Amino acid sequence: MSVIKERIVNGGHGVFTPSYFCVHSTANPGATAANHASLWSRDYPYAVHLVSDWKEALHTVPYNRVCWQVGNGNRMVEGLEICEATNRDDFARGIIIAAAVVRERLNAHGWGMDRLINHDIARSRWGGTDHTDPIPYFTRWGYTWDQFRNLVATGKEPETMTPQDVWNAGIGQEGEYGKNDIEAWKHLSFTHWDTARLFAILGRTDDAGTGDGTNGDIYTRVVNIDKRVREMSATITAQAAAIEALSKAMGADPQDIAKTVQDAVKAKLDALKITVSAEG
């Protein structure tokens, strides 16, 4: 069953017999195959034989008609425009459909993979154009021309990624595919910088010049509080022993005296206000 739907909307520019199949991308993010077919139906001079998006593929110009698509190589190629997606899921679906279209057309001509080119290859081979698509579009999503060729040839994506694929893979902001994607290696660099900064904040041991740990960063203040609590615990223990000895010498009940002191200390502690803040 063909993946291609017939929707001839443009007559092209004369009869020819192609020798290669050329892949393009539209440089019009978000516009669908139907959008392009509609544009091309209005005597648009740069219509291409096929256009595909993330839902469908349309045959828009007869295969035996010239399309103005690769400059000096126009009479050499049958072509496909891949619509440019705006999110990773649509990109992935679009690539699968595009590869199926290319595979079907290569088989229809009885051509091998040596007949598959892209606009960038056509530019360097015949001239008359400065376009390099679909390479920039693929690169935007961490994809390569070699991966696309493999998908056309085998009908399936590679089961494993190479180290270079992982290194260059796009990572979306907040884990969302396609959201301000940057390469993995850049993301790793930013993560390292953020982690280093965190350690710089928490790992400082200075106290901003006060010498007593009261105005330092979070780590310094926590250490200072811990030190003071330990000192207070030791002091209270010593005071309790002294109170007990004193009360026995005076003939009073040690528990009554201890409770009086305890209540006084608690009231004092409750009145204290401890503030901890972080300074970046």
Side-chain angles (χ1 to χ4, degrees):
M1 180 178 178
S2 176
V3 70
I4 303 167
K5 298 177 181 178
E6 293 295 324
R7 191 176 301 179
I8 301 298
V9 298
N10 193 295
H13 304 280
V15 178
F16 86 130
T17 300
S19 299
Y20 297 90
F21 192 93
C22 185
V23 175
H24 307 263
S25 65
T26 61
N28 190 13
T32 65
N35 293 149
H36 285 86
S38 177
L39 171 65
W40 296 349
S41 70
R42 299 191 288 273
D43 294 324
Y44 188 74
Y46 301 107
V48 177
H49 300 98
L50 296 144
V51 59
S52 67
D53 59 20
W54 37 95
K55 293 182 179 179
E56 61 182 351
L58 305 177
H59 176 206
T60 54
V61 179
Y63 294 127
N64 66 342
R65 303 288 291 182
V66 174
C67 289
W68 292 349
Q69 55 180 311
V70 291
N72 297 337
N74 285 333
R75 300 193 65 83
M76 300 295 293
V77 300
E78 178 181 314
L80 164 69
E81 285 279 5
I82 301 176
C83 294
E84 297 197 358
T86 57
N87 63 77
R88 187 173 294 277
D89 288 343
D90 283 350
F91 172 81
R93 285 191 289 266
I95 286 295
I96 291 172
I97 292 174
V101 170
V102 174
R103 189 182 314 114
E104 182 175 328
R105 292 307 300 159
L106 289 179
N107 289 338
H109 288 290
W111 292 344
M113 292 298 295
D114 59 316
R115 300 295 188 100
L116 176 59
I117 63 173
N118 58 49
H119 202 158
D120 188 38
I121 294 173
R123 173 192 60 80
S124 62
R125 183 173 296 181
W126 298 302
T129 176
D130 60 0
H131 292 196
T132 60
D133 53 293
I135 306 306
Y137 174 54
F138 284 5
T139 301
R140 191 185 314 154
W141 297 102
Y143 199 69
T144 68
W145 176 246
D146 286 342
Q147 286 177 293
F148 183 75
R149 283 177 54 85
N150 178 76
L151 182 57
V152 171
T154 66
K156 61 181 181 180
E157 294 281 10
E159 295 183 359
T160 59
M161 297 178 70
T162 67
Q164 192 64 45
D165 292 336
V166 175
W167 193 241
N168 291 329
I171 297 179
Q173 183 179 340
E174 299 172 354
E176 181 179 334
Y177 285 139
K179 182 178 180 181
N180 301 325
D181 269 3
I182 59 173
E183 294 92 330
W185 68 268
K186 290 182 181 177
H187 205 286
L188 181 62
S189 299
F190 293 159
T191 301
H192 168 74
W193 183 85
D194 288 341
T195 303
R197 184 169 181 268
L198 177 61
F199 274 110
I201 293 173
L202 297 181
R204 282 170 43 195
T205 56
D206 67 279
D207 53 14
T210 64
D212 61 5
T214 57
N215 292 320
D217 51 70
I218 294 175
Y219 176 81
T220 301
R221 294 189 183 196
V222 169
V223 170
N224 181 61
I225 291 170
D226 177 71
K227 178 182 177 182
R228 295 293 184 265
V229 169
R230 290 174 186 273
E231 291 174 349
M232 186 180 297
S233 296
T235 300
I236 291 174
T237 300
Q239 288 176 341
I243 290 171
E244 183 177 2
L246 178 61
S247 62
K248 287 180 179 179
M250 297 174 60
D253 186 346
Q255 291 187 353
D256 291 340
I257 297 177
K259 187 176 186 309
T260 300
V261 174
Q262 178 182 336
D263 291 343
V265 171
K266 183 177 183 302
K268 183 65 175 178
L269 290 175
D270 288 343
L272 292 178
K273 182 178 181 181
I274 300 175
T275 302
V276 177
S277 62
E279 298 178 2

